[in-house]
Amino acid sequence: MNVLVLGSGGREHALTWAISKSPRIGDLFVAPGNGGTAAIAQNIPLSITDPDAILGFCKDHEIDLVVVGPELPLVEGVAEALRKAGLAVFGPDAQGAMLEGSKSFSKEFMMAHGLPTAAYKKCTSKEDALAYLEQVGAPIVVKADGLAAGKGVVVAEDMDQAREAVEESFAGSFGEAGYTVVIEEMLTGPECSMLAFVAGGKALCMPCAQDHKRAFDGDRGPNTGGMGVYSPVPCVTPELETQMRQVMELAAAATQEDFATGYRGVLYGGFMLTPEGPKLLEFNARFGDPETQVIMARLASDALDAFEAVAKGDITELDLAWKSQVAVSVVLASAGYPGKYEKGKVILGIDEAEAMDNVIVFHAGTAFNSDEELVTNGGRVLNVTALADTFEEARDLAYEACEKINFEGKQLRMDIALRAIRN
Ligand code: AMP
Ligand code: GLY
Protein backbone atom coordinates (compact mmCIF):
# COMPACT_ATOMS: atom_id res chain seq x y z
CA MET A 1 0.00 0.00 0.00
CA ASN A 2 1.42 3.40 -1.03
CA VAL A 3 0.92 6.18 1.50
CA LEU A 4 1.37 9.96 1.52
CA VAL A 5 1.57 11.78 4.87
CA LEU A 6 1.01 15.57 4.86
CA GLY A 7 2.94 17.71 7.34
CA SER A 8 6.42 18.38 8.70
CA GLY A 9 6.37 18.24 12.50
CA GLY A 10 7.20 15.73 15.21
CA ARG A 11 3.65 14.45 14.92
CA GLU A 12 4.15 13.61 11.26
CA HIS A 13 7.49 11.91 11.95
CA ALA A 14 5.77 9.75 14.59
CA LEU A 15 2.88 8.91 12.24
CA THR A 16 5.27 8.10 9.39
CA TRP A 17 7.44 6.01 11.72
CA ALA A 18 4.41 4.00 12.86
CA ILE A 19 3.18 3.50 9.29
CA SER A 20 6.66 2.53 8.07
CA LYS A 21 6.67 -0.48 10.40
CA SER A 22 3.61 -2.01 8.76
CA PRO A 23 4.33 -5.17 6.77
CA ARG A 24 1.81 -3.87 4.23
CA ILE A 25 3.59 -0.61 3.45
CA GLY A 26 4.75 -0.05 -0.12
CA ASP A 27 6.04 3.39 -1.13
CA LEU A 28 5.91 5.94 1.67
CA PHE A 29 6.03 9.71 1.02
CA VAL A 30 5.86 12.76 3.28
CA ALA A 31 5.09 16.28 2.08
CA PRO A 32 7.04 18.34 2.91
CA GLY A 33 8.52 16.24 5.76
CA ASN A 34 11.61 16.97 7.88
CA GLY A 35 15.10 15.63 8.55
CA GLY A 36 13.67 12.62 10.39
CA THR A 37 11.07 11.56 7.85
CA ALA A 38 13.77 11.72 5.15
CA ALA A 39 15.40 8.65 6.73
CA ILE A 40 12.29 6.44 6.62
CA ALA A 41 10.29 7.84 3.71
CA GLN A 42 10.71 10.06 0.67
CA ASN A 43 10.22 13.78 1.34
CA ILE A 44 8.29 15.61 -1.38
CA PRO A 45 8.28 19.42 -1.75
CA LEU A 46 4.49 19.77 -2.16
CA SER A 47 2.28 22.50 -0.72
CA ILE A 48 -0.06 20.77 1.72
CA THR A 49 -2.82 23.32 1.11
CA ASP A 50 -2.86 22.78 -2.67
CA PRO A 51 -5.25 19.90 -3.36
CA ASP A 52 -4.62 19.93 -7.12
CA ALA A 53 -0.88 19.51 -6.67
CA ILE A 54 -1.43 16.74 -4.12
CA LEU A 55 -3.94 15.01 -6.37
CA GLY A 56 -1.53 15.11 -9.30
CA PHE A 57 1.19 13.58 -7.16
CA CYS A 58 -1.15 10.88 -5.87
CA LYS A 59 -2.14 9.87 -9.41
CA ASP A 60 1.46 9.78 -10.61
CA HIS A 61 2.58 7.66 -7.66
CA GLU A 62 -0.48 5.43 -7.26
CA ILE A 63 -1.12 6.58 -3.70
CA ASP A 64 -3.68 4.40 -1.87
CA LEU A 65 -4.01 6.47 1.29
CA VAL A 66 -3.38 10.09 2.31
CA VAL A 67 -2.91 10.87 6.02
CA VAL A 68 -3.38 14.57 6.85
CA GLY A 69 -1.37 15.72 9.90
CA PRO A 70 -2.04 19.42 10.66
CA GLU A 71 -5.28 21.36 11.05
CA LEU A 72 -4.84 23.98 8.34
CA PRO A 73 -5.33 21.71 5.31
CA LEU A 74 -8.29 20.08 7.08
CA VAL A 75 -9.98 23.41 7.80
CA GLU A 76 -9.28 24.56 4.23
CA GLY A 77 -11.00 21.45 2.86
CA VAL A 78 -7.97 19.66 1.44
CA ALA A 79 -8.98 16.25 2.84
CA GLU A 80 -12.45 16.83 1.47
CA ALA A 81 -11.22 17.75 -2.01
CA LEU A 82 -8.98 14.67 -2.17
CA ARG A 83 -11.78 12.42 -0.95
CA LYS A 84 -14.19 13.84 -3.52
CA ALA A 85 -11.60 13.02 -6.17
CA GLY A 86 -11.78 9.38 -5.08
CA LEU A 87 -8.80 9.02 -2.76
CA ALA A 88 -8.89 7.26 0.63
CA VAL A 89 -8.11 10.04 3.10
CA PHE A 90 -7.48 10.07 6.86
CA GLY A 91 -8.78 13.44 8.11
CA PRO A 92 -12.25 15.02 8.27
CA ASP A 93 -14.00 17.15 5.66
CA ALA A 94 -14.12 20.93 6.18
CA GLN A 95 -17.37 20.78 8.17
CA GLY A 96 -15.94 18.27 10.66
CA ALA A 97 -12.71 20.25 10.88
CA MET A 98 -14.73 23.24 12.08
CA LEU A 99 -14.78 21.51 15.47
CA GLU A 100 -11.24 22.87 15.66
CA GLY A 101 -11.50 25.77 13.20
CA SER A 102 -14.26 27.60 15.07
CA LYS A 103 -14.54 27.62 18.85
CA SER A 104 -18.14 28.84 18.72
CA PHE A 105 -19.11 26.09 16.26
CA SER A 106 -17.47 23.59 18.58
CA LYS A 107 -19.25 24.93 21.67
CA GLU A 108 -22.61 24.86 19.86
CA PHE A 109 -21.92 21.23 18.91
CA MET A 110 -21.04 20.34 22.52
CA MET A 111 -24.13 22.05 23.89
CA ALA A 112 -26.48 20.56 21.28
CA HIS A 113 -25.32 17.06 22.15
CA GLY A 114 -25.10 17.41 25.90
CA LEU A 115 -21.31 17.07 26.07
CA PRO A 116 -19.91 18.45 29.34
CA THR A 117 -18.12 21.78 28.87
CA ALA A 118 -17.78 25.24 30.42
CA ALA A 119 -20.66 27.75 30.21
CA TYR A 120 -19.97 30.36 27.53
CA LYS A 121 -21.23 33.15 25.34
CA LYS A 122 -20.36 33.81 21.70
CA CYS A 123 -19.82 37.53 21.04
CA THR A 124 -19.54 39.04 17.57
CA SER A 125 -18.91 42.64 18.64
CA LYS A 126 -16.52 44.24 21.09
CA GLU A 127 -19.39 46.05 22.83
CA ASP A 128 -21.28 42.82 23.34
CA ALA A 129 -18.15 41.09 24.67
CA LEU A 130 -17.28 43.91 27.10
CA ALA A 131 -20.85 44.06 28.36
CA TYR A 132 -20.88 40.31 28.98
CA LEU A 133 -17.57 40.58 30.89
CA GLU A 134 -19.12 43.20 33.20
CA GLN A 135 -22.01 40.83 33.80
CA VAL A 136 -19.97 37.69 34.67
CA GLY A 137 -16.74 39.16 36.08
CA ALA A 138 -13.27 37.58 36.38
CA PRO A 139 -11.62 35.10 36.43
CA ILE A 140 -12.80 34.33 32.93
CA VAL A 141 -11.47 32.87 29.68
CA VAL A 142 -11.45 34.80 26.39
CA LYS A 143 -10.97 32.82 23.18
CA ALA A 144 -10.58 34.04 19.60
CA ASP A 145 -13.06 32.04 17.54
CA GLY A 146 -10.81 30.91 14.68
CA LEU A 147 -7.39 29.30 14.28
CA ALA A 148 -4.80 31.47 16.03
CA ALA A 149 -1.73 29.21 16.12
CA GLY A 150 -2.32 28.36 19.77
CA LYS A 151 -2.24 32.02 20.85
CA GLY A 152 -5.93 32.83 20.83
CA VAL A 153 -6.80 31.84 24.42
CA VAL A 154 -6.39 34.15 27.41
CA VAL A 155 -7.14 32.82 30.89
CA ALA A 156 -7.80 36.19 32.55
CA GLU A 157 -7.33 36.40 36.31
CA ASP A 158 -8.81 39.90 36.53
CA MET A 159 -11.09 42.23 34.59
CA ASP A 160 -8.23 44.31 33.16
CA GLN A 161 -6.70 41.24 31.53
CA ALA A 162 -10.09 40.13 30.26
CA ARG A 163 -10.92 43.54 28.75
CA GLU A 164 -7.48 43.75 27.17
CA ALA A 165 -7.94 40.31 25.60
CA VAL A 166 -11.25 41.40 24.08
CA GLU A 167 -9.80 44.73 22.85
CA GLU A 168 -6.84 42.97 21.22
CA SER A 169 -8.94 40.34 19.55
CA PHE A 170 -11.29 42.91 18.00
CA ALA A 171 -8.33 45.14 17.10
CA GLY A 172 -7.21 42.41 14.71
CA SER A 173 -4.43 40.61 16.64
CA PHE A 174 -5.62 37.31 15.18
CA GLY A 175 -7.03 38.71 11.95
CA GLU A 176 -10.44 37.43 10.92
CA ALA A 177 -10.14 34.65 13.53
CA GLY A 178 -10.57 37.16 16.36
CA TYR A 179 -13.62 39.15 15.22
CA THR A 180 -15.78 36.64 17.03
CA VAL A 181 -14.84 35.61 20.58
CA VAL A 182 -16.02 32.92 22.93
CA ILE A 183 -16.11 34.06 26.55
CA GLU A 184 -16.03 31.08 28.81
CA GLU A 185 -16.29 30.18 32.47
CA MET A 186 -12.87 29.34 33.97
CA LEU A 187 -12.54 25.67 34.91
CA THR A 188 -9.98 24.21 37.30
CA GLY A 189 -8.27 20.86 37.55
CA PRO A 190 -5.61 18.82 35.76
CA GLU A 191 -5.73 18.68 31.97
CA CYS A 192 -5.70 15.49 29.98
CA SER A 193 -6.08 14.67 26.31
CA MET A 194 -8.02 11.74 24.95
CA LEU A 195 -7.74 11.09 21.24
CA ALA A 196 -10.06 8.78 19.34
CA PHE A 197 -10.14 7.27 15.88
CA VAL A 198 -13.54 8.28 14.55
CA ALA A 199 -15.45 6.97 11.53
CA GLY A 200 -19.03 6.05 10.78
CA GLY A 201 -20.19 7.61 14.04
CA LYS A 202 -18.02 5.27 16.13
CA ALA A 203 -15.03 6.15 18.33
CA LEU A 204 -12.05 3.98 19.18
CA CYS A 205 -10.26 5.77 22.01
CA MET A 206 -6.51 5.83 22.48
CA PRO A 207 -4.71 5.95 25.83
CA CYS A 208 -4.68 9.34 27.55
CA ALA A 209 -1.72 11.69 27.29
CA GLN A 210 -0.71 14.84 29.10
CA ASP A 211 1.12 17.72 27.47
CA HIS A 212 3.23 20.43 29.17
CA LYS A 213 2.18 23.61 27.39
CA ARG A 214 4.23 26.27 29.17
CA ALA A 215 7.77 27.07 28.08
CA PHE A 216 9.55 26.76 31.43
CA ASP A 217 9.83 24.43 34.44
CA GLY A 218 7.06 24.60 36.99
CA ASP A 219 4.52 25.51 34.27
CA ARG A 220 5.84 29.04 34.01
CA GLY A 221 6.40 31.25 30.98
CA PRO A 222 4.44 31.61 27.78
CA ASN A 223 2.29 28.92 26.19
CA THR A 224 3.99 26.83 23.52
CA GLY A 225 2.91 24.11 21.14
CA GLY A 226 3.95 21.67 23.89
CA MET A 227 7.33 21.10 25.61
CA GLY A 228 6.91 17.48 26.63
CA VAL A 229 4.32 14.81 27.16
CA TYR A 230 3.65 11.49 28.81
CA SER A 231 1.20 8.62 28.49
CA PRO A 232 -0.75 7.16 30.25
CA VAL A 233 -1.93 9.76 32.80
CA PRO A 234 -1.83 8.37 36.35
CA CYS A 235 -4.33 10.88 37.79
CA VAL A 236 -6.94 9.46 35.41
CA THR A 237 -8.76 6.78 37.39
CA PRO A 238 -10.56 3.99 35.51
CA GLU A 239 -13.81 5.81 36.36
CA LEU A 240 -12.60 9.11 34.87
CA GLU A 241 -11.32 7.27 31.81
CA THR A 242 -14.72 5.66 31.30
CA GLN A 243 -16.40 9.06 31.58
CA MET A 244 -14.04 10.55 28.98
CA ARG A 245 -14.60 7.59 26.65
CA GLN A 246 -18.34 8.10 26.93
CA VAL A 247 -17.95 11.75 25.97
CA MET A 248 -15.83 10.80 22.95
CA GLU A 249 -18.34 8.12 21.90
CA LEU A 250 -21.22 10.59 22.16
CA ALA A 251 -19.21 13.10 20.15
CA ALA A 252 -18.46 10.53 17.45
CA ALA A 253 -22.14 9.62 17.16
CA ALA A 254 -22.96 13.32 16.93
CA THR A 255 -20.55 13.82 14.01
CA GLN A 256 -22.55 11.24 12.08
CA GLU A 257 -25.82 13.04 12.88
CA ASP A 258 -24.66 16.59 12.25
CA PHE A 259 -22.17 16.46 9.40
CA ALA A 260 -23.30 15.81 5.84
CA THR A 261 -20.36 13.50 5.18
CA GLY A 262 -19.74 12.24 8.72
CA TYR A 263 -16.24 12.39 10.14
CA ARG A 264 -13.20 10.30 9.26
CA GLY A 265 -10.06 11.04 11.21
CA VAL A 266 -8.88 11.66 14.73
CA LEU A 267 -10.97 13.60 17.18
CA TYR A 268 -8.84 15.09 19.94
CA GLY A 269 -10.71 15.83 23.16
CA GLY A 270 -8.90 18.33 25.40
CA PHE A 271 -10.36 17.72 28.87
CA MET A 272 -10.11 19.39 32.23
CA LEU A 273 -10.71 17.02 35.13
CA THR A 274 -12.87 19.32 37.23
CA PRO A 275 -14.33 18.49 40.65
CA GLU A 276 -17.64 17.84 38.80
CA GLY A 277 -16.00 15.41 36.39
CA PRO A 278 -14.23 15.69 33.03
CA LYS A 279 -15.25 18.69 30.92
CA LEU A 280 -14.20 19.50 27.36
CA LEU A 281 -11.97 22.54 26.86
CA GLU A 282 -11.75 21.99 23.14
CA PHE A 283 -11.81 19.61 20.24
CA ASN A 284 -9.05 19.31 17.67
CA ALA A 285 -9.68 17.64 14.35
CA ARG A 286 -6.24 16.04 14.19
CA PHE A 287 -3.61 14.24 16.22
CA GLY A 288 -1.95 16.29 18.97
CA ASP A 289 1.66 17.32 18.80
CA PRO A 290 3.56 16.09 20.90
CA GLU A 291 0.83 13.69 22.17
CA THR A 292 1.14 11.60 19.01
CA GLN A 293 4.80 10.90 19.72
CA VAL A 294 4.04 9.02 22.95
CA ILE A 295 0.81 7.47 21.66
CA MET A 296 2.46 6.01 18.54
CA ALA A 297 5.40 4.84 20.65
CA ARG A 298 2.92 2.84 22.76
CA LEU A 299 0.88 1.41 19.88
CA ALA A 300 1.44 -2.35 19.64
CA SER A 301 -0.78 -2.93 16.59
CA ASP A 302 -0.29 -2.12 12.92
CA ALA A 303 -0.94 1.62 12.60
CA LEU A 304 -1.75 1.30 8.92
CA ASP A 305 -4.76 -0.91 9.78
CA ALA A 306 -6.16 1.94 11.86
CA PHE A 307 -5.56 4.71 9.31
CA GLU A 308 -6.96 2.60 6.49
CA ALA A 309 -10.10 1.59 8.40
CA VAL A 310 -10.80 5.21 9.34
CA ALA A 311 -10.22 6.43 5.78
CA LYS A 312 -12.64 3.78 4.49
CA GLY A 313 -15.23 4.89 7.03
CA ASP A 314 -15.64 1.68 9.06
CA ILE A 315 -13.81 0.99 12.33
CA THR A 316 -16.26 -1.57 13.73
CA GLU A 317 -13.72 -4.39 13.20
CA LEU A 318 -10.73 -2.34 14.35
CA ASP A 319 -9.10 -3.58 17.55
CA LEU A 320 -5.87 -1.95 18.73
CA ALA A 321 -3.40 -3.22 21.32
CA TRP A 322 -1.27 -0.87 23.40
CA LYS A 323 1.99 -1.53 25.21
CA SER A 324 1.82 -1.60 28.99
CA GLN A 325 5.07 0.39 29.04
CA VAL A 326 4.71 4.10 29.74
CA ALA A 327 6.16 6.72 27.41
CA VAL A 328 7.78 10.09 28.14
CA SER A 329 8.80 12.56 25.44
CA VAL A 330 10.95 15.64 26.06
CA VAL A 331 11.03 18.46 23.51
CA LEU A 332 14.38 20.00 22.61
CA ALA A 333 13.65 23.51 21.39
CA SER A 334 15.63 26.38 19.87
CA ALA A 335 16.79 29.23 22.15
CA GLY A 336 14.08 31.89 22.23
CA TYR A 337 11.15 29.61 21.37
CA PRO A 338 8.17 30.31 21.50
CA GLY A 339 9.41 33.81 20.62
CA LYS A 340 12.04 34.60 17.99
CA TYR A 341 14.68 31.95 17.38
CA GLU A 342 17.46 31.23 14.89
CA LYS A 343 17.58 28.29 12.51
CA GLY A 344 20.43 26.39 10.89
CA LYS A 345 22.30 25.20 14.02
CA VAL A 346 24.10 21.89 13.44
CA ILE A 347 22.64 19.02 15.49
CA LEU A 348 24.99 16.35 16.86
CA GLY A 349 24.50 13.16 18.85
CA ILE A 350 21.18 11.80 17.59
CA ASP A 351 22.75 8.49 16.57
CA GLU A 352 24.18 8.01 20.08
CA ALA A 353 20.79 8.76 21.62
CA GLU A 354 18.97 6.42 19.27
CA ALA A 355 21.48 3.63 19.96
CA MET A 356 19.99 3.43 23.46
CA ASP A 357 17.37 0.72 23.96
CA ASN A 358 13.80 1.99 24.11
CA VAL A 359 14.69 5.49 22.93
CA ILE A 360 13.19 7.01 19.77
CA VAL A 361 14.14 10.49 18.59
CA PHE A 362 11.33 12.08 16.57
CA HIS A 363 12.31 15.10 14.52
CA ALA A 364 10.15 18.22 14.48
CA GLY A 365 11.98 21.31 13.11
CA THR A 366 14.99 19.72 11.41
CA ALA A 367 16.37 19.83 7.86
CA PHE A 368 19.58 19.17 5.96
CA ASN A 369 21.73 22.13 4.92
CA SER A 370 23.67 22.40 1.65
CA ASP A 371 26.56 20.49 3.26
CA GLU A 372 24.16 17.61 4.08
CA GLU A 373 24.43 18.38 7.81
CA LEU A 374 21.34 17.97 9.98
CA VAL A 375 20.38 21.43 11.28
CA THR A 376 17.64 23.06 13.33
CA ASN A 377 14.76 24.34 11.22
CA GLY A 378 12.05 25.34 13.70
CA GLY A 379 11.16 26.26 17.28
CA ARG A 380 10.56 22.74 18.47
CA VAL A 381 13.46 20.73 17.10
CA LEU A 382 13.37 17.16 18.47
CA ASN A 383 11.09 14.99 20.59
CA VAL A 384 13.25 12.61 22.61
CA THR A 385 10.96 9.74 23.51
CA ALA A 386 11.56 6.83 25.90
CA LEU A 387 9.57 3.74 26.85
CA ALA A 388 9.95 1.92 30.18
CA ASP A 389 7.98 0.06 32.83
CA THR A 390 7.77 3.04 35.19
CA PHE A 391 7.68 6.82 34.80
CA GLU A 392 10.91 7.14 36.83
CA GLU A 393 12.75 4.90 34.38
CA ALA A 394 11.21 6.42 31.26
CA ARG A 395 12.04 9.93 32.47
CA ASP A 396 15.65 9.01 33.33
CA LEU A 397 16.08 7.33 29.98
CA ALA A 398 14.63 10.28 28.04
CA TYR A 399 16.86 12.80 29.85
CA GLU A 400 19.94 10.60 29.45
CA ALA A 401 19.23 10.59 25.71
CA CYS A 402 18.66 14.37 25.72
CA GLU A 403 22.15 14.85 27.16
CA LYS A 404 23.72 13.06 24.22
CA ILE A 405 22.17 15.49 21.73
CA ASN A 406 23.57 18.96 21.23
CA PHE A 407 22.96 22.05 19.16
CA GLU A 408 23.65 25.72 19.89
CA GLY A 409 20.88 27.15 22.06
CA LYS A 410 19.30 23.80 23.02
CA GLN A 411 16.40 24.55 25.38
CA LEU A 412 14.39 21.99 27.34
CA ARG A 413 12.22 21.65 30.41
CA MET A 414 13.71 19.47 33.14
CA ASP A 415 10.41 18.60 34.83
CA ILE A 416 8.59 16.64 32.14
CA ALA A 417 6.53 13.81 33.67
CA LEU A 418 7.44 14.73 37.26
CA ARG A 419 3.70 15.22 37.74
CA ALA A 420 3.13 11.61 36.71
CA ILE A 421 5.65 10.40 39.29
CA ARG A 422 4.19 12.50 42.08
CA ASN A 423 0.77 10.98 41.42
P1 AMP B 1 -7.46 25.67 24.03
O1 AMP B 1 -6.75 26.28 22.85
O2 AMP B 1 -8.93 25.82 24.02
O3 AMP B 1 -6.96 24.30 24.33
O4 AMP B 1 -6.94 26.48 25.30
C1 AMP B 1 -5.57 26.55 25.59
C2 AMP B 1 -5.37 26.38 27.06
O5 AMP B 1 -6.11 27.37 27.78
C3 AMP B 1 -5.91 25.05 27.61
O6 AMP B 1 -5.00 24.01 27.45
C4 AMP B 1 -6.15 25.42 29.05
O7 AMP B 1 -4.94 25.36 29.79
C5 AMP B 1 -6.61 26.84 28.99
N1 AMP B 1 -8.08 26.91 28.98
C6 AMP B 1 -8.91 26.87 27.92
N2 AMP B 1 -10.20 26.95 28.30
C7 AMP B 1 -10.20 27.05 29.63
C8 AMP B 1 -11.23 27.16 30.63
N3 AMP B 1 -12.51 27.20 30.31
N4 AMP B 1 -10.85 27.22 31.92
C9 AMP B 1 -9.54 27.20 32.26
N5 AMP B 1 -8.53 27.10 31.39
C10 AMP B 1 -8.85 27.03 30.08
N1 GLY C 1 -0.35 19.58 22.08
C1 GLY C 1 -1.55 20.27 21.89
C2 GLY C 1 -2.11 20.20 20.55
O1 GLY C 1 -1.63 19.47 19.69
O2 GLY C 1 -3.10 20.88 20.28
Side-chain angles (χ1 to χ4, degrees):
M1 179 172 232
N2 299 336
V3 178
L4 169 65
V5 177
L6 301 184
S8 60
R11 164 183 51 212
E12 285 76 22
H13 187 192
L15 295 174
T16 306
W17 171 82
I19 292 169
S20 73
K21 293 191 298 175
S22 170
R24 294 193 297 124
I25 189 70
D27 295 334
L28 180 54
F29 301 94
V30 187
N34 61 31
T37 59
I40 54 173
Q42 216 176 310
N43 284 354
I44 306 296
L46 273 179
S47 161
I48 62 170
T49 49
D50 181 349
D52 292 335
I54 298 167
L55 200 55
F57 179 86
C58 290
K59 284 196 178 136
D60 290 347
H61 294 83
E62 298 180 355
I63 297 297
D64 302 297
L65 172 69
V66 180
V67 177
V68 184
E71 59 276 19
L72 192 63
L74 295 170
V75 170
E76 291 192 356
V78 172
E80 180 167 342
L82 299 175
R83 190 175 288 119
K84 276 196 182 132
L87 282 166
V89 184
F90 182 95
D93 284 355
Q95 195 184 16
M98 273 183 64
L99 287 176
E100 173 163 7
S102 164
K103 303 243 183 236
S104 59
F105 177 88
S106 194
K107 294 293 283 190
E108 279 153 23
F109 176 89
M110 293 174 201
M111 290 291 171
H113 297 283
L115 308 177
T117 187
Y120 80 107
K121 185 169 193 284
K122 169 186 177 179
C123 300
T124 52
S125 77
K126 187 172 84 176
E127 292 66 32
D128 189 20
L130 292 173
Y132 184 66
L133 284 183
E134 294 306 323
Q135 194 186 319
V136 291
I140 192 84
V141 184
V142 179
K143 301 183 173 184
D145 188 63
L147 291 183
K151 299 189 180 85
V153 175
V154 174
V155 181
E157 298 295 336
D158 57 45
M159 285 297 279
D160 284 344
Q161 278 177 17
R163 285 192 207 102
E164 191 184 316
V166 165
E167 295 280 355
E168 281 202 358
S169 198
F170 284 100
S173 285
F174 311 112
E176 196 71 28
Y179 296 140
T180 295
V181 298
V182 164
I183 297 181
E184 191 174 281
E185 163 201 12
M186 192 180 87
L187 302 176
T188 53
E191 285 182 50
C192 172
S193 305
M194 183 182 263
L195 283 65
F197 290 106
V198 171
K202 298 271 180 261
L204 183 65
C205 296
M206 302 177 222
C208 293
Q210 195 167 55
D211 192 3
H212 296 64
K213 284 192 207 267
R214 300 293 200 96
F216 309 129
D217 284 19
D219 291 328
R220 287 175 301 113
N223 261 330
T224 70
M227 292 298 289
V229 60
Y230 57 89
S231 172
V233 183
C235 73
V236 174
T237 60
E239 189 193 351
L240 285 171
E241 182 152 3
T242 303
Q243 289 170 358
M244 283 191 275
R245 270 176 206 277
Q246 284 166 347
V247 173
M248 297 307 290
E249 283 161 10
L250 275 175
T255 62
Q256 192 73 358
E257 264 176 56
D258 281 18
F259 304 153
T261 52
Y263 189 103
R264 297 182 188 188
V266 162
L267 186 62
Y268 168 129
F271 286 90
M272 196 164 258
L273 308 176
T274 76
E276 298 98 65
K279 290 191 181 180
L280 283 165
L281 294 178
E282 61 165 346
F283 280 128
N284 291 319
R286 49 155 177 94
F287 275 101
D289 188 347
E291 289 87 339
T292 307
Q293 288 80 316
V294 284
I295 290 172
M296 287 297 124
R298 296 188 65 214
L299 179 62
S301 301
D302 187 335
L304 198 46
D305 289 348
F307 298 133
E308 190 185 11
V310 170
K312 291 191 168 158
D314 184 1
I315 58 170
T316 48
E317 300 293 313
L318 188 62
D319 185 19
L320 297 175
W322 302 93
K323 295 176 190 168
S324 59
Q325 285 172 307
V326 308
V328 171
S329 185
V330 178
V331 172
L332 301 185
S334 298
Y337 174 78
K340 271 200 190 129
Y341 55 84
E342 290 177 13
K343 295 182 181 179
K345 309 293 180 193
V346 175
I347 306 169
L348 297 172
I350 292 186
D351 289 347
E352 287 84 337
E354 285 207 307
M356 294 168 63
D357 281 343
N358 291 311
V359 170
I360 316 155
V361 180
F362 292 118
H363 294 224
T366 72
F368 288 96
N369 66 14
S370 53
D371 295 328
E372 291 297 307
E373 295 166 310
L374 185 74
V375 294
T376 64
N377 194 40
R380 292 188 291 175
V381 178
L382 297 166
N383 310 130
V384 182
T385 308
L387 285 163
D389 290 333
T390 66
F391 279 110
E392 283 89 346
E393 291 168 286
R395 220 184 90 82
D396 287 349
L397 201 56
Y399 279 107
E400 199 185 322
C402 287
E403 271 178 33
K404 297 188 188 291
I405 302 174
N406 279 301
F407 54 87
E408 192 189 315
K410 177 178 105 175
Q411 177 192 330
L412 71 162
R413 272 180 67 160
M414 293 307 297
D415 63 347
I416 303 303
L418 271 187
R419 262 194 315 240
I421 294 172
R422 287 201 201 103
N423 249 285

